[in-house]
């Protein structure tokens, strides 16, 4: 009987898994022995790391968007629809516009979203660059920037844990080049008692920010924003007046998880840290931002997970073998330290990262990656 | 520190965002007077949690060491 693999979410993790499996099992798919279906509520894929460059007018939105169908390997079906509920007992996914989709194996790659409601006043008083609309609005605000006080706040949890640092360091250099840095005050706030949750990154970032004249405000958990008075207030009782508030809003998982009674608080799926299976379900797997794993929510993590998961899915679909390949918590993040230099960190469950000195070469490596990301999604790189 | 009404959070193995963030989220949701206990194997928690409690005006109750992890308790004060 034909084995059916269904993947929900046509983002970084979902597309990569679909393409890795689709290319490996091309013959089986052609012979009708196996089917691979990718379901996504968006018909286009958006490269989110590009938002950071849109803000500074360094990339255009059109460079970040491509139709999902163009990115899929031959033989993979694309269903453009929203999944409403997973019925794990009946092996079915109910959806918004058509009949339920049945599966033998299900992969969940529904990512993470901003939860603006958690902070009263934030939607009215703040800016953010974690959505394309938000990035464009912030870009417009920066085009008119003549100086003043910029306050950056960091909500928890959030994807791409180094983006707040990157934004701050890029903004500093951008303001210098525009000749407004002397009229600009920058406050970088962080929820913990240091500049980053990873100790080695914090040890590196503290002095880097100081050298740029950025004030670091620690133990600042944004609780509310007063848009009329332009004040950001923390749970710890600190008030920060601002002219421009740039927030990394707290994130949550897609509500599909809670409607299906499969997730914990925040809509995160309880996931096995090595096999990536949904706890208590041998035929459901989770990857990318949607898991509850203590790893960064990053595209690189989704990529490394997709490689492991695809190997396991091929074994499961063709031979019924249990997951033999283990994800080891691997993550890789570029860190832009201004407009023409960058560094990177690489780590896993057992090995915390070190931060090498920033170079121009690493910056260009990242620029190149921004333009060839598509090859990575297609699983041809 | 046996307290039936305490909220217990197992944050062992949580690296980023880490145990302290889990504690802060729990304190937000707790009622005044309630105790939040967090289990952590991150060495920074022992240092950061008392500092944060002081800054946020909550009562730090102490650390119980259990070999490979710590049990850290804070009472919500306001
Ligand atoms: C500003 C910014 C900068 C970043 N920079 C970096 C970086 O430099 N390096 C890095 O590694 N990562 C970076 N990231 C993070 C990276 O983009 C994400 O971690 C990555 O996209 C996660 O992949 P995913 O597959 O889990 O989720 P996504 O790529 O977000 O995809 C989820 C998909 O699922 C769909 N979906 C959700 N729910 C449903 C449903 N119920 N039914 C149907 N479809 C659904 C969504 O529409 C979406 O298309 C950055 C992110 C941002 C916002």
């Amino acid at each position: 009987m034909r084995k059916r693999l269904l993947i929900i979410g046509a983002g970084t993790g979902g597309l990569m898994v679909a393409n890795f499996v689709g290319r490996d099992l091309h013959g089986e798919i052609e012979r009708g022995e196996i089917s691979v279906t990718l379901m996504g509520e968006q018909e286009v894929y958006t490269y989110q790391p590009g938002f950071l460059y849109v803000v500074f007018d360094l990339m255009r939105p059109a460079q970040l968007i491509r139709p999902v169908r163009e990115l899929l390997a031959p033989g993979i079906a694309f269903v453009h629809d929203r999944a409403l509920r997973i019925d794990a007992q009946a092996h079915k996914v109910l959806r918004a516009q058509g009949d339920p989709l049945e599966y033998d194996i299900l992969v969940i790659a529904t990512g993470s979203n901003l939860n603006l409601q958690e902070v009263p006043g934030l939607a009215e008083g703040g800016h953010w660059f974690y959505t394309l609309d938000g990035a464009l609005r912030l870009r417009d605000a920066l085009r008119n920037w003549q100086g003043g006080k910029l306050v950056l706040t960091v909500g928890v949890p959030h994807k791409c844990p180094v983006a707040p640092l990157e934004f701050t360091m890029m903004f500093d250099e951008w303001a210098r080049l525009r000749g407004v840095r002397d009229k600009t005050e920058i406050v970088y706030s962080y929820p913990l008692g240091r500049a980053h949750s990873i100790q080695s990154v914090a040890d590196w970032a503290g002095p880097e920010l100081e050298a740029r004249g950025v004030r670091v405000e620690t133990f600042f958990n944004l609780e509310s924003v007063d848009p009329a008075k332009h004040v950001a207030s923390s749970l710890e009782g600190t008030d920060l007046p601002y002219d421009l508030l740039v927030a990394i809003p707290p994130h949550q998982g897609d509500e599909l998880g809670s409607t299906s009674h499969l997730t914990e608080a925040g809509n995160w799926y309880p996931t096995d840290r090595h096999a990536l299976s949904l706890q208590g379900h041998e035929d459901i797997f989770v990857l990318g931002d949607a898991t509850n794993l203590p790893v960064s929510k990053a595209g690189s993590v989704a990529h490394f997970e997709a490689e492991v998961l695809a190997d396991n899915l091929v074994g499961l679909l063709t031979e019924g073998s249990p997951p033999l390949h283990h994800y080891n918590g691997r993550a890789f993040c570029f860190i832009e330290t201004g407009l023409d230099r960058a560094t990177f960190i690489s780590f896993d469950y057992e090995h915390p990262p070190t931060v090498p000195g920033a170079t121009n070469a690493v910056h260009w490596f990242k620029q190149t990656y921004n333009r060839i990301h598509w090859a990575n999604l297609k699983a041809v790189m | 520190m046996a307290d039936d009404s305490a909220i217990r959070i197992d944050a062992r193995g949580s690296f980023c965002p880490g145990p302290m963030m889990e504690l802060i989220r729990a304190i937000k949701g707790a009622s005044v007077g309630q105790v939040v206990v967090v289990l952590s194997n991150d060495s920074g928690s022992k240092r950061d949690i008392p500092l944060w409690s002081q800054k946020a005006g909550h009562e730090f109750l102490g650390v119980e060491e259990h070999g490979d992890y710590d049990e850290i308790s804070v009472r919500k004060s306001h």
Side-chain angles (χ1 to χ4, degrees):
Chain A
M1 216 182 74
R2 188 162 63 136
K3 284 263 184 206
R4 297 155 302 180
L5 171 66
L6 175 62
I7 301 158
I8 310 177
T12 312
L15 265 162
M16 285 187 184
V17 169
N19 284 331
F20 279 127
V21 175
R23 287 187 199 283
D24 260 38
L25 300 182
H26 185 60
E28 286 84 347
I29 293 172
E30 265 196 343
R31 291 193 296 274
E33 295 160 15
I34 285 170
S35 70
V36 179
T37 304
L38 177 67
M39 177 184 201
E41 61 183 338
Q42 306 289 341
E43 271 190 301
V44 292
Y45 172 90
T46 307
Y47 177 60
Q48 301 168 40
F51 300 164
L52 189 58
Y53 302 89
V54 167
V55 168
F56 297 104
D57 262 322
L58 296 169
M59 282 186 100
R60 285 169 284 107
Q63 292 173 287
L64 312 179
I65 299 170
R66 293 216 185 163
V68 170
R69 285 185 183 85
E70 280 179 19
L71 298 166
L72 275 181
I76 301 170
F78 178 59
V79 175
H80 174 214
D81 205 351
R82 178 170 168 78
L84 294 181
R85 191 164 67 79
I86 298 165
D87 185 339
Q89 245 90 53
H91 284 212
K92 271 185 198 161
V93 173
L94 284 75
R95 57 192 180 113
Q97 281 162 24
D99 292 337
L101 295 178
E102 295 185 2
Y103 64 84
D104 297 299
I105 298 170
L106 181 68
V107 172
I108 301 168
T110 45
S112 59
N113 300 307
L114 306 188
N115 181 4
L116 292 166
Q117 288 70 40
E118 196 182 302
V119 183
L122 177 58
E124 301 78 29
H127 277 85
W128 50 90
F129 57 93
Y130 268 56
T131 59
L132 185 53
D133 287 350
L136 289 169
R137 205 161 62 82
L138 180 54
R139 179 195 68 182
D140 294 345
L142 291 194
R143 281 179 179 175
N144 296 320
W145 182 258
Q146 302 297 331
K149 183 171 175 178
L150 178 137
V151 171
L152 180 119
T153 63
V154 178
V156 172
H158 66 270
K159 55 187 152 193
C160 196
V162 294
L165 278 174
E166 293 183 283
F167 173 82
T168 306
M169 294 184 183
M170 288 169 82
F171 177 73
D172 166 70
E173 190 168 349
W174 174 90
R176 285 175 205 279
L177 290 175
R178 295 242 318 193
V180 291
R181 184 63 181 93
D182 54 341
K183 288 185 246 137
T184 299
E185 191 188 342
I186 308 176
V187 181
Y188 170 93
S189 73
Y190 205 73
L192 307 184
R194 54 186 192 236
H196 198 267
S197 64
I198 302 174
Q199 186 67 57
S200 57
V201 175
D203 293 343
W204 164 80
E208 289 281 332
L209 292 170
E210 202 187 318
R212 287 166 174 79
V214 173
R215 182 155 80 79
V216 178
E217 175 78 37
T218 55
F219 287 130
F220 189 93
N221 285 278
L222 184 66
E223 191 172 48
S224 64
V225 176
D226 185 332
K229 292 194 180 127
H230 282 219
V231 176
S233 303
S234 77
L235 181 73
E236 293 80 6
T238 308
D239 289 339
L240 291 177
Y242 65 83
D243 294 304
L244 182 64
L245 174 65
V246 178
I248 314 300
H251 287 43
Q252 62 187 357
D254 187 85
E255 63 187 27
L256 170 67
S258 48
T259 359
S260 310
H261 305 292
L262 293 174
T263 45
E264 315 176 324
N267 296 345
W268 310 116
Y269 290 86
T271 307
D272 183 282
R273 64 195 342 232
H274 295 297
L276 303 174
S277 49
L278 176 64
Q279 277 168 21
H281 298 262
E282 283 177 357
D283 48 11
I284 304 182
F285 297 87
V286 195
L287 83 161
D289 294 355
T291 75
N292 72 338
L293 294 179
V295 294
S296 302
K297 297 195 184 300
S300 66
V301 167
H303 178 174
F304 297 132
E305 290 173 338
E307 288 181 340
V308 171
L309 184 53
D311 283 343
N312 286 334
L313 291 170
V314 167
L316 194 57
L317 288 163
T318 54
E319 295 162 20
S321 51
L324 296 171
H325 303 268
H326 279 181
Y327 174 63
N328 66 354
R330 190 170 167 209
F332 178 96
C333 298
F334 285 106
I335 310 176
E336 295 275 22
T337 61
L339 298 178
D340 67 356
R341 296 173 89 72
T343 180
F344 65 93
I345 48 172
S346 175
F347 53 105
D348 59 40
Y349 287 140
E350 312 291 335
H351 307 93
T354 51
V355 189
T359 63
N360 185 245
V362 176
H363 166 73
W364 283 108
F365 199 175
K366 170 78 195 230
Q367 294 303 304
T368 308
Y369 182 77
N370 286 341
R371 284 153 182 91
I372 59 167
H373 172 65
W374 313 106
N376 211 1
L377 280 180
K378 289 182 188 173
V380 293
M381 202 160 89
Chain B
M1 235 165 278
D3 178 347
D4 289 349
S5 71
I7 302 173
R8 278 176 81 82
I9 319 155
D10 188 350
R12 286 174 289 183
S14 176
F15 173 45
C16 181
M20 207 187 94
M21 285 321 309
E22 303 291 346
L23 172 89
I24 295 173
R25 296 192 135 243
I27 290 269
K28 275 192 192 180
S31 31
V32 175
Q34 206 171 9
V35 174
V36 177
V37 182
V38 62
L39 277 54
S40 167
N41 58 353
D42 168 51
S43 59
S45 302
K46 261 190 289 198
R47 184 192 58 217
D48 287 352
I49 292 177
L51 277 173
W52 177 79
S53 306
Q54 199 189 11
K55 180 138 201 224
H58 298 296
E59 187 186 352
F60 174 67
L61 298 175
V63 183
E64 264 181 53
E65 294 183 5
H66 292 267
D68 58 350
Y69 72 95
D70 299 318
E71 217 177 293
I72 308 167
S73 307
V74 176
R75 190 196 310 277
K76 178 163 172 155
S77 305
H78 54 88

